[in-house]
Amino acid sequence: MDLTVAGYMKELSEHRIAASRCNDCDALYLPPRPICPNCQTRKMSVERLSGEGTVAGLTSISIVPSAMAAKGYGRKNPYVTGVVALKEGPSLTARIELPDDGGEIQSRVGMPVTASFEAEVDGDETRVTLVFQPS
Amino acid sequence: MPKQKKRKLGRGVAIVGGAMSYFGMYPDKTSRDLMAEAYTDALETVDKGIDPRDIEALYIGNFTADLFEGQGHLGHIMADWLGLAPRPATRVEGACASSGLAFREAVMAVASGMYDVVLAGGVERMTNAPTENVQDYLAAASDVPFEVDQAAFTFPGLYAAMGTAYMARYGTTREHLMHVAVKNHQNGALNPRAQFNSSLRDIMEQRKKRAEEKGRPIPTWGDEFDFLSDDSVNPAVAEPLHLFDCSPVTDGASCIIVAAEEVAREYTDDLVTVAASAQASAGPFTTWGGDITGIPSARIAGRDAYEMAGVGPEDIDFAEVHDCFTTAEIMAIEDLGFFEPGKGAFGSAEGLTSRDSDRPINVSGGLKSKGHPVGATGVAQLQEVWTQLRGRAGDRQITHKDLRLGLTHNVGGTGGTSAIHILERK
């Protein structure tokens, strides 16, 4: 794969979470990147991650951006998004689906979650986003 | 961590003038109109007067007039409108830290010996855009393909996610956040140029009065905390952040004139100099090693600023910090070393950051109450610290202690950029 934003998105569209590992210092990066900030090397290998992790921080958004308003989200229908620490080490930002049991948002920190791939067709384009579910 | 090089300015730099426009909602004023207000007021603050032709260059902080008003290329617009063309004018962008960076560029331009007198400004016109568009425009300051396109984060959402990580780790609640809002509104009530020039107690009483006038049931809120706990008046924006946890959308501008210390006495005998100017960058959350309970670039810029000034956090008399959200102020006072990690929320609730405390935080009202025209905020913070150090802050002047060192903490995005300055009264 190309170590570009488009390369990562293409992997997602094929239901894979791609990361890059530095061949010199072994650090693992998500999204995959071409230059290691740790040792400046450009020798990177691509690895695929499991999609299993825990919630590091999250929020339920009521005042929504226009793209989410167009999908019917808003004050009466908020959505949840957050930061997930994957078991391999790196973390990523993604939407999270929570059980609707009235728990306080901060009580979900640490919850184990698993990635699913959500395809959205917009004209000729299909965009795949990651959405995490409770494990 | 990069290798540390001891940094210093090539020569001393002083602030000789500064002002902010009234912050608020001004539908009939464009960026240049706001900037002209701040500039003309700043000229008036120069103790011995200044010939505007002494100004040799301009650095203008602005996040995105491109999106808010369809106007790019802002530097030359301001140079022309302030009557200062053909002097070089450079727009500086670092999201909500834009004018913190503009000030830093101005300081370095003077310190280099290139210029003796330079203007640092900041401006943002925001309120003419619909709320959803404001969310979109501000979100352009994040890591768009990953944080927005993938995760649908808004800016309040990002600071809310940090808030939940903090609350879960340290066992704090929304009530701790409320203390920050109550304190900053109390401070803003003393600032005639603040967007919210009233305490939350006053806002609450006004709502009760309005209900009574309209013959509706009078709400039973006993105090500010009751008021803030009522979702009908303080609705969720991005849990755990509610409306009054968020800085408002604001129109405003700010302006400072800096001069080489060796010429500054032509303008004033009451000198405030730049003891430290530090800046750091970082990637998004996903590069922070799994900890989002504080902002790494603010810690690094803070450390560098203390080292440059030869002081520690204990030496700072007061600070203006980037409280774009209540969660942000709590992280700021920890990142700056005023409180141990996890203690900032409790310290805020105990009043240890209030205007009569040992180290007052955001006596201007902060972004929360004063308003947050994003590109203007950094210079507005510096202008407040300069004014306080010179004892000229009127009703909100800190009077219970001598002021020698004041700090400003200006953050772009969620810490992609942090700019920290320490000012010293001579």
Side-chain angles (χ1 to χ4, degrees), chain B residues 1 7 28 39 55 60 82 92 95 119 134 148 181 204 233 237 276 289 296 357 403 407 413 416:
Chain B
M1 193 71 53
R7 295 180 204 283
D28 298 330
Y39 170 67
I55 296 169
I60 303 293
L82 304 183
V92 183
L119 181 154
V134 172
V148 178
M204 178 182 91
V233 289
V237 171
S357 68
L403 303 181
L407 179 148

Side-chain angles (χ1 to χ4, degrees), chain B residues 262-284:
Chain B
E262 60 206 43
V263 304
R265 289 194 190 276
E266 293 174 24
Y267 304 105
T268 179
D269 291 323
D270 194 0
L271 273 196
V272 169
T273 58
V274 179
S277 173
Q279 180 184 343
S281 313

Side-chain angles (χ1 to χ4, degrees), chain A residues 58-60 62-63 66 79 81 128, chain B residues 136 150-152 164 237-239 286:
Chain A
L58 75 171
T59 179
S60 163
S62 302
I63 304 296
S66 56
Y79 61 92
T81 192
V128 173
Chain B
D136 292 349
Q150 276 289 314
T164 57
V237 171
E239 288 284 4
T286 49

Side-chain angles (χ1 to χ4, degrees), chain B residues 39 52-53 58 77-87:
Chain B
Y39 170 67
R53 286 168 292 200
L58 304 80
I77 295 277
M78 296 309 168
D80 171 57
W81 200 248
L82 304 183
L84 295 173
R87 290 164 184 77

